[in-house]
Amino acid sequence: MTRNPDVPEAAVTRLAAYLEALERLETQEVATTSSAEIARHAGVNAAQVRKDLSYFGEFGRPGLGYDVANLRRSLARILHLDREHLVILLGSGRLGTALLGYPGLAQRAFRVAGVFDSSPRVIGQELCGHRVLDVRNLQEFNREHEVKIGIICVPTAQAQAACDQLVAAGIRAILNFAPVSLRAPPHVLVRHVDVTRELQALAYYLAD
Amino acid sequence: MTRNPDVPEAAVTRLAAYLEALERLETQEVATTSSAEIARHAGVNAAQVRKDLSYFGEFGRPGLGYDVANLRRSLARILHLDREHLVILLGSGRLGTALLGYPGLAQRAFRVAGVFDSSPRVIGQELCGHRVLDVRNLQEFNREHEVKIGIICVPTAQAQAACDQLVAAGIRAILNFAPVSLRAPPHVLVRHVDVTRELQALAYYLAD
DNA sequence: ACTTGTGAAGCATTTCACAGCC
DNA sequence: GGCTGTGAAATGCTTCACAAGT
């Protein structure tokens, strides 16, 4: 899953957190900031912020700190958020619908190119401005659109099949919401967001 | 956030993944398994599985492996999933609704004790069998119910306030879906599930 | 005086490798 | 022969601490 072995994967994820912090600072019209302030916003150590940034270049000036707007732009560029990313949604149930309507996606330049499902009950229906398409047309669809990112919101039992279909359609990265570990070829990145797993971990620490 | 310093937090989260794997094996009527097989299901190293389990006891027998049903029960007990956990949902938007209707919660013995919102437009409405309550009644509600786990599904701008309200109501663990790092006292566990952060990390690895 | 960028130290986690048991 | 459980090695990540810059 890790591609650039020099940059810890955790550092990349934190970069997104720093970006959020910078956006907040920018709306508060803060022009200049420090690693300590970013760290406070992101809930990490200040040295961690500097180290993470150092993987990608030098963005600050000793004694002065960082220019908020500049650093925000730099981080956005590093994360490739300076251009739009198309995503394909697999599964139009409650979670898929929630994501479709989630403004956070568009705010970060992620645009849903297509919504797919396998159930005849929903195929063809309109959902948040998207016609739900038949998953059997996924490969054909993506020959034209060349979407790189797929999001799996199907029930557990169908998640691996959904993954295989995305891979066959040429997808390069998958965000999986189903509570199963997926098997995918090594050239396909898979990230797993598992609500139940998180809750179960919380429950562990709640011994009475 | 880590409470038992001897057990890595990542190990606890993986335990939940092993539990999923064991449940799948059990439905396939597999009686006995090995660390290698569990590892394959969970997408980790076999030594990792054995090491993780060793933090909590000895569950297998050399040369034979693990009894699936037994190990599943043991893991469920370790994660305190042998009893029901009440949760409070803050925010009845699309994401909150999706969670309310998500069968995975009930399957893992998490039961929604109450749904709260601050918008007069939704307070009092019925949602998946739950009446949406006024967040101003949260403390009073929890004096009676003593729920330990809160889930934040409110918009970013209100997330910190929601967190503060949960803390004031005596919540001990929070699962946060808003894309902000929350500040909470050290006795309150916070876990962060951030869809946009995950997508942004994926985008980083998708350089063309 | 204050803050960055970074080598080096410190700490944590993962993986190896094998003794011991089935 | 096969598999677990676990010290020890290897790896990876985070934090420290300070030289250098403003």
Side-chain angles (χ1 to χ4, degrees):
Chain A
M1 171 136 174
T2 303
R3 287 304 136 103
N4 181 346
D6 302 3
V7 181
E9 197 173 316
V12 175
T13 309
R14 282 192 298 266
L15 240 48
Y18 305 156
L19 182 56
E20 281 158 18
L22 289 163
E23 285 170 353
R24 223 160 333 129
L25 288 169
E26 213 173 9
T27 63
Q28 291 162 20
E29 312 210 20
V30 178
T32 296
T33 188
S34 64
S35 58
E37 188 170 35
I38 298 171
R40 218 170 326 112
H41 275 83
V44 302
N45 183 295
Q48 180 92 80
V49 173
R50 297 198 298 277
K51 175 66 83 177
D52 286 345
L53 294 178
S54 79
Y55 292 125
F56 301 97
E58 307 193 359
F59 304 99
R61 299 183 56 198
L64 283 175
Y66 303 89
D67 180 89
V68 173
N70 251 326
L71 185 55
R72 183 192 50 70
R73 269 192 298 274
S74 298
L75 293 190
R77 193 163 34 239
I78 290 164
L79 294 170
H80 303 126
L81 300 174
D82 48 355
R83 57 185 167 87
E84 189 174 70
H85 290 270
L86 298 178
V87 304
I88 282 176
L89 215 59
L90 243 68
S92 63
R94 265 179 282 249
L95 178 58
T97 307
L99 278 174
L100 254 187
Y102 180 45
L105 292 194
Q107 270 168 32
R108 286 292 192 289
F110 291 99
R111 188 159 67 79
V112 177
V115 185
F116 292 83
D117 208 302
S118 62
S119 159
R121 292 239 311 278
V122 291
I123 291 170
Q125 303 243 334
E126 189 89 359
L127 206 65
C128 296
H130 289 265
R131 171 85 67 83
V132 178
L133 304 172
D134 190 325
V135 72
R136 283 175 297 188
N137 299 326
L138 177 60
Q139 283 196 49
E140 187 191 333
F141 177 92
N142 214 33
R143 254 197 297 278
E144 187 186 338
H145 292 81
E146 299 191 315
V147 178
K148 304 285 194 305
I149 300 178
I151 305 183
I152 294 181
C153 309
V154 302
T156 312
Q158 294 150 44
Q160 183 59 57
C163 172
D164 297 342
Q165 286 163 321
L166 286 170
V167 170
I171 283 286
R172 300 256 305 282
I174 292 175
L175 188 56
N176 173 37
F177 284 91
V180 225
S181 299
L182 298 178
R183 300 193 67 67
H187 69 278
V188 176
L189 297 166
V190 179
R191 285 206 157 207
H192 193 177
V193 173
D194 193 332
V195 178
T196 54
R197 214 176 270 183
E198 298 293 328
L199 278 174
Q200 289 170 84
L202 282 181
Y204 168 77
Y205 292 104
L206 286 184
D208 296 359
Chain B
M1 172 133 170
T2 303
R3 286 305 135 105
N4 180 345
D6 302 2
V7 181
E9 198 175 315
V12 175
T13 310
R14 281 191 298 266
L15 241 47
Y18 305 157
L19 183 56
E20 282 159 18
L22 290 163
E23 285 170 351
R24 222 157 337 127
L25 289 170
E26 214 173 8
T27 63
Q28 290 163 21
E29 314 212 17
V30 177
T32 296
T33 188
S34 63
S35 60
E37 188 170 35
I38 297 171
R40 217 169 329 112
H41 275 83
V44 302
N45 183 295
Q48 179 94 79
V49 173
R50 298 198 298 277
K51 175 68 82 178
D52 286 344
L53 295 178
S54 79
Y55 292 124
F56 302 96
E58 306 192 1
F59 304 99
R61 299 183 57 198
L64 283 175
Y66 304 90
D67 180 272
V68 173
N70 251 325
L71 184 55
R72 183 191 51 69
R73 269 193 300 274
S74 298
L75 294 191
R77 193 163 37 240
I78 291 165
L79 294 169
H80 305 126
L81 300 175
D82 47 356
R83 57 186 168 87
E84 188 175 70
H85 290 270
L86 297 178
V87 304
I88 280 177
L89 214 59
L90 243 69
S92 63
R94 265 178 284 247
L95 179 57
T97 308
L99 278 173
L100 254 188
Y102 180 45
L105 291 193
Q107 270 168 31
R108 285 291 192 289
F110 290 99
R111 188 158 67 79
V112 177
V115 185
F116 292 83
D117 207 302
S118 61
S119 160
R121 291 238 312 278
V122 291
I123 291 169
Q125 303 244 332
E126 190 90 358
L127 206 63
C128 296
H130 290 264
R131 170 87 66 84
V132 178
L133 304 171
D134 190 327
V135 73
R136 284 175 296 188
N137 299 326
L138 177 60
Q139 282 196 53
E140 188 191 334
F141 177 93
N142 215 33
R143 256 197 296 279
E144 186 186 339
H145 292 80
E146 298 191 316
V147 178
K148 304 283 193 306
I149 300 177
I151 305 183
I152 294 181
C153 310
V154 303
T156 311
Q158 294 151 44
Q160 184 59 57
C163 173
D164 297 343
Q165 286 163 320
L166 285 170
V167 169
I171 283 284
R172 299 253 309 281
I174 292 175
L175 187 56
N176 173 37
F177 284 92
V180 225
S181 300
L182 298 178
R183 300 194 67 68
H187 68 278
V188 176
L189 296 168
V190 179
R191 285 205 158 207
H192 192 177
V193 174
D194 193 331
V195 178
T196 53
R197 214 175 269 184
E198 298 293 327
L199 278 174
Q200 289 170 83
L202 281 182
Y204 167 76
Y205 292 104
L206 286 183
D208 307 351

